[in-house]
Amino acid sequence: MIPNNKRWSRRDVLRTIFFTAGAVGSASWLSGCGGSSESSASPIAPGPGVEPVPGNIPDTVESLVGRFANIGPLRETPDIHGVRTPEGFATRIVAINGELPQPAGMSPLAPQTGGVGNRPWHIFPDGGGAVPRDNGGWIYISNSEVPGVGTIGFTYPALATLANAAEELTPGLAQVGVLVFDPDGTIVDSYTILSGTTFNCAGCVTPWNTWLSCEEFPNGQVWECDPYQPGEGLARPTLGYFSHEAIAIDPRQRRLYLTEDMPDGRFYRWIPDPSDWPEGAERAALQSGRLQMLSVRGEGAEGALHSPQPVTWVDVQNPHEPQHENRLEESTIFDGGEGVWFFQGIVYFATKGDDRIWALDVAAQTIEVIYERATAEAPNDILSGVDNLFVTSLGDVLVAEDGGDMQVVVILPDRTLKPLLQVVGQDASEIAGIAFSPDGKRMYFTSDRGGRNGLGGFTNGLGMVYELILPDSV
């Protein structure tokens, strides 16, 4: 229960189409996100970054091999759901916009009726996570990235102040919905845990198994939701007002890390007041704390391409105002912050404007770039349009593409790259919402603008959710 207390991606183009088509107010209804504890034996309840794997996790990232190190190449031909995977993997569609989820999954041949829950699946499913159920099942959580009036300020920053004011008077159309699974993978329910918000992008599952949903517009907030029952969620203003993309949590140091998806965005850290998250407490109240921006010192952000650079943190000014109006010169610009994940003392995050994956060492207080599209050399040049992130308990950094060629690409601990899957025939879409079932045997992801083509296949649409079934050898 929650206490009361520079480069346009396809998403950017679609935002503009949405508004110029006059669609505001008429849209139909809707990890990594991410964070992990330091080991699989942690007493903290597993969030989306804790993918249980038998055995102990090695002490350092450098000693990890990666869960997906030995997967083969993608098969030449996509399966009946339009997905290319390595040999031994299989897929299932578990939700399609406008249809009731089906207990056995969605048929590729025709829409079905009489499914579970009281809600057709939402439009534009984006960031997602998973939490365990007491019976051995799990719940998959999914944001809805429906634009609203405030999103005009995202697409056209010069109009942000006016759009923010109009947003206050206009109910949002975005929501957060869940799929409830039994231990055998059967879908048994579906319901809403947040509504009335705007452009909910990513977020994270907390160590105490709530969901933090991020609004991605210049005056956006973070909302905390209880995934175990229908509800409306609670705003957490202490986490700031900006174009929130995703969140990662370091439960031992009691820190939250947040990305901002703007061309002049910043990277943030939230430090709870001692009374908000006392040492030894199960959870943070998320009601009072300090919001800070990252400042890269030394040779600056460009120096991080070659070697780790020292960082410091500066308190934001006017934390209860939109941060695009309160930039600090000493803070560092990160061009289009996307997914973020905490794993074994490292905060990984993506920036789409320069196609980079960053690694922040929270103990050493240094930052470096571990992947950049512009300088990548074959065979490691297969990743572009970086977006959502997920890090497995064996150190694989899974990166979903917005743009590129609709792949999920694995960055292994040795920094070599392998494709995990590719969605074919949905080129106006993007992949997001990566999360694993508690046993690690099933992976979920969204094609947030995929749908049926009416001929028994799949093409661009209003959103769908896939399940990737992993072979026992992985």
Side-chain angles (χ1 to χ4, degrees):
M1 296 290 291
I2 303 170
N4 286 319
N5 18 102
K6 175 168 126 172
R7 178 179 62 81
W8 275 37
S9 67
R10 290 173 181 147
R11 181 192 299 173
D12 298 322
V13 174
L14 286 162
R15 285 192 189 102
T16 303
I17 293 172
F18 189 96
F19 286 116
T20 56
V24 175
S26 63
S28 54
W29 108 242
L30 178 142
S31 228
C33 104
S36 76
S37 60
E38 300 266 334
S39 83
S40 60
S42 169
I44 306 247
V50 184
E51 179 198 342
V53 175
N56 293 325
I57 295 175
D59 291 335
T60 64
V61 174
E62 289 77 9
S63 68
L64 298 172
V65 174
R67 182 177 186 183
F68 297 103
N70 296 318
I71 61 174
L74 301 184
R75 286 174 278 203
E76 290 295 325
T77 305
D79 64 17
I80 61 171
H81 301 128
V83 184
R84 296 176 62 209
T85 62
E87 195 67 39
F89 291 75
T91 64
R92 178 172 70 142
I93 296 173
V94 295
I96 296 178
N97 167 255
E99 301 182 30
L100 288 172
Q102 302 294 311
M106 313 300 289
S107 167
L109 300 177
Q112 299 183 23
T113 59
V116 301
N118 58 6
R119 59 187 299 278
W121 192 247
H122 48 252
I123 193 172
F124 302 157
D126 201 271
V131 295
R133 298 175 64 203
D134 290 341
N135 70 347
W138 57 93
I139 297 172
Y140 178 72
I141 309 157
S142 175
N143 279 351
S144 167
E145 199 181 39
V146 179
V149 176
T151 321
I152 297 172
F154 183 101
T155 309
Y156 305 103
L159 301 177
T161 300
L162 179 61
N164 286 342
E167 174 72 25
E168 295 292 326
L169 304 174
T170 309
L173 298 173
Q175 303 183 7
V176 179
V178 306
L179 297 171
V180 182
F181 292 84
D182 268 352
D184 64 356
T186 300
I187 302 171
V188 295
D189 203 358
S190 177
Y191 48 82
T192 302
I193 61 174
L194 178 67
S195 61
T197 52
T198 293
F199 217 58
N200 294 65
C201 192
C204 79
V205 172
T206 67
W208 48 93
N209 284 333
T210 62
W211 172 249
L212 299 182
S213 183
C214 294
E215 290 184 302
E216 188 187 9
F217 70 96
N219 199 28
Q221 296 190 74
V222 175
W223 296 76
E224 187 172 19
C225 313
D226 181 354
Y228 294 97
Q229 60 185 358
E232 292 304 317
L234 295 171
R236 299 304 188 193
T238 186
L239 299 181
Y241 294 82
F242 54 89
S243 291
H244 289 272
E245 173 77 22
I247 300 175
I249 300 177
D250 176 352
R252 294 193 176 180
Q253 297 297 318
R254 302 188 300 283
R255 300 286 188 270
L256 274 65
Y257 296 90
L258 309 94
T259 51
E260 180 181 19
D261 190 355
M262 292 288 281
D264 64 341
R266 268 49 172 185
F267 186 76
Y268 297 86
R269 178 176 76 173
W270 181 80
I271 302 175
D273 290 343
S275 61
D276 191 279
W277 195 353
E279 186 171 356
E282 179 185 61
R283 60 156 295 153
L286 298 180
Q287 294 181 354
S288 60
R290 292 166 58 203
L291 189 64
Q292 299 179 318
M293 294 178 180
L294 185 70
S295 177
V296 182
R297 303 302 191 181
E299 299 175 40
E302 295 306 306
L305 287 167
H306 312 293
S307 62
Q309 299 298 311
V311 302
T312 59
W313 298 89
V314 292
D315 290 345
V316 304
Q317 61 181 9
N318 303 320
H320 299 297
E321 296 180 1
Q323 286 305 302
H324 74 281
E325 300 173 354
N326 289 274
R327 301 302 195 195
L328 298 172
E329 288 188 8
E330 60 266 42
S331 61
T332 298
I333 294 173
F334 291 95
D335 187 355
E338 292 286 347
V340 59
W341 205 273
F342 175 80
F343 176 71
Q344 291 197 359
I346 305 296
V347 181
Y348 297 93
F349 67 98
T351 50
K352 69 182 181 186
D354 44 23
D355 263 335
R356 292 176 179 175
I357 307 295
W358 303 76
L360 172 69
D361 187 320
V362 300
Q365 287 295 287
T366 59
I367 193 169
E368 61 180 311
V369 175
I370 65 169
Y371 175 83
E372 184 192 43
R373 169 67 172 168
T375 56
E377 299 180 356
N380 290 328
D381 58 351
I382 61 173
L383 173 61
S384 62
V386 300
D387 201 294
N388 278 195
L389 288 185
F390 184 106
V391 182
T392 74
S393 60
L394 292 181
D396 317 78
V397 181
L398 276 55
V399 186
E401 291 187 334
D402 173 9
D405 49 6
M406 285 289 290
Q407 293 191 117
V408 173
V409 176
V410 181
I411 303 177
L412 295 168
D414 65 3
R415 298 188 184 179
T416 60
L417 275 64
K418 284 193 170 189
L420 177 60
L421 60 88
Q422 181 184 24
V423 177
V424 177
Q426 300 175 32
D427 292 342
S429 187
E430 64 176 286
I431 295 177
I434 298 174
F436 283 78
S437 60
D439 61 8
K441 296 180 180 179
R442 303 167 191 253
M443 187 188 95
Y444 298 92
F445 64 95
T446 71
S447 174
D448 80 340
R449 287 162 178 84
R452 297 186 185 276
N453 65 9
L455 302 173
F458 302 94
T459 185
N460 301 316
L462 296 179
M464 54 199 295
V465 182
Y466 286 92
E467 177 185 83
L468 178 70
I469 303 167
L470 281 63
D472 292 339
S473 59
V474 174

